[in-house]
Amino acid sequence: MRVDGNFQEDGVVLVEGALSSATLAFAREAFEWSLANPGPGASKLPANGTGTFYQDLANPAALSAYRTLVNQPDIVQLIQRLWGKSEVWFMYEQVFEKSGGTTRRTPWHQDTPYLPVTGSDLAVMWISFEAVPHSHALEFVKGSHTSTLYDGSMFDPDDDTRPLYGDGSLPRLPDIEADRDAWPIVSWPTSPGDVVVFHPAILHGGGKTDDGFSRQTLSLRFFGEDATVATRPGRKPVESRQNPNVHPLTRMRSLEEGAPFRDEAFPYLSG
């Protein structure tokens, strides 16, 4: 296993050969489970091409369906190593499938404006099941996880920087594609078993597909001991904190700023 990059400083690393064949098989099984059991967040996104772009995320039922996968030692120990800490919880899953032709690149964005969480001990594990060439890889602005938190992107095909909230509480995303040379952009081609791990506050985008190429990706999200609640615009109370059909990520949205990011439904990982 070789690590390219410094997670704390860069906000993103490539870990070659991170997953054993057994863990990769568990990941594929979990991905197929998500395709067969769409949750409330499942949707087809505008592909702006000839292909289709499907995604699903934070299915409450996945917290138990994914338990075997996220407790694999090579997953847990990798996160512990990158954070330099032992406490790890599984937050949620996200699946992506780009297939059937061309799809647009994903606009530059950060994940944290969409999430009610902040902290250093946050990580996204990006697992692609096909070999991904450099031209189709996810791209990152190195070190941007510790600087400005921007408004989210509406993923408008006519305006990549159209804001998610637009209320002035967060600055609008910069047009990185218009001046790529001004930004320290990094990316890597990957093979099955490699993973890219990044902090959700890092600016990232890309991952287009061309004719004859499809990409299936499983994204696993984790948090650690220093994670706290961050309030976002449009915050609403949750009707029931005990409802099993409500993902704990949703329940976090009703808590006060700075509260510990904890819920008994988030799986604590032993590895």
Side-chain angles (χ1 to χ4, degrees), residues 1-259:
M1 182 174 67
R2 188 179 77 86
V3 178
D4 186 354
N6 183 301
F7 185 79
Q8 302 299 331
E9 294 179 6
D10 300 341
V12 59
V13 295
L14 167 67
V15 187
E16 295 180 337
L19 304 183
S20 68
S21 58
T23 299
L24 194 58
F26 283 129
R28 168 59 77 176
E29 184 178 327
F31 181 88
E32 296 294 342
W33 180 92
S34 287
L35 294 184
N37 297 273
S43 63
K44 286 188 176 180
L45 303 177
N48 296 99
T50 60
T52 60
F53 185 4
Y54 174 83
Q55 69 99 36
D56 193 7
L57 75 165
N59 184 342
L63 292 169
S64 57
Y66 275 61
R67 192 174 295 273
T68 297
L69 169 62
V70 297
N71 272 291
Q72 292 303 302
D74 40 0
I75 287 180
V76 180
Q77 292 169 15
L78 174 57
I79 300 299
Q80 291 172 329
R81 173 182 173 184
L82 294 178
W83 288 344
K85 298 179 181 176
S86 61
E87 302 278 277
V88 182
W89 286 265
F90 176 53
M91 191 189 310
Y92 71 99
E93 86 301 338
Q94 189 166 12
V95 299
F96 302 92
E97 184 174 46
K98 291 185 174 184
S99 61
T102 60
T103 62
R104 70 174 297 205
R105 61 170 286 122
T106 301
W108 289 97
H109 67 286
Q110 297 158 301
D111 290 346
T112 40
Y114 305 87
L115 302 174
V117 64
T118 188
S120 298
D121 300 340
L122 301 172
V124 181
M125 184 174 286
W126 187 263
I127 304 167
S128 292
F129 295 106
E130 299 83 16
V132 178
H134 220 146
S135 59
H136 293 178
L138 203 60
E139 298 180 315
F140 304 87
V141 175
K142 187 167 65 173
S144 58
H145 64 302
T146 61
S147 55
T148 304
L149 179 65
Y150 296 99
D151 203 330
S153 171
M154 283 290 290
F155 301 102
D156 184 335
D158 298 319
D159 182 0
D160 285 353
T161 69
R162 181 185 169 195
L164 175 67
Y165 302 116
D167 62 355
S169 61
L170 296 170
R172 188 173 180 137
L173 282 159
D175 190 352
I176 295 172
E177 280 300 288
D179 192 15
R180 288 176 60 92
D181 290 342
W183 302 85
I185 296 173
V186 297
S187 65
W188 301 270
T190 56
S191 298
D194 299 343
V195 299
V196 176
V197 187
F198 59 94
H199 191 285
I202 195 171
L203 285 161
H204 60 284
K208 68 172 183 175
T209 60
D210 295 325
D211 278 326
F213 181 83
S214 63
R215 194 189 74 206
Q216 295 181 316
T217 302
L218 172 61
S219 174
L220 305 174
R221 317 291 176 118
F222 305 93
F223 68 92
E225 59 184 330
D226 82 340
T228 58
V229 171
T231 57
R232 304 297 182 209
R235 175 171 169 255
K236 297 178 181 179
V238 176
E239 292 183 4
S240 173
R241 292 187 56 80
Q242 306 303 320
N243 187 343
N245 296 318
V246 174
H247 197 283
L249 182 66
T250 301
R251 292 197 284 268
M252 295 296 98
R253 298 184 188 278
S254 66
L255 300 184
E256 295 298 322
E257 179 87 19

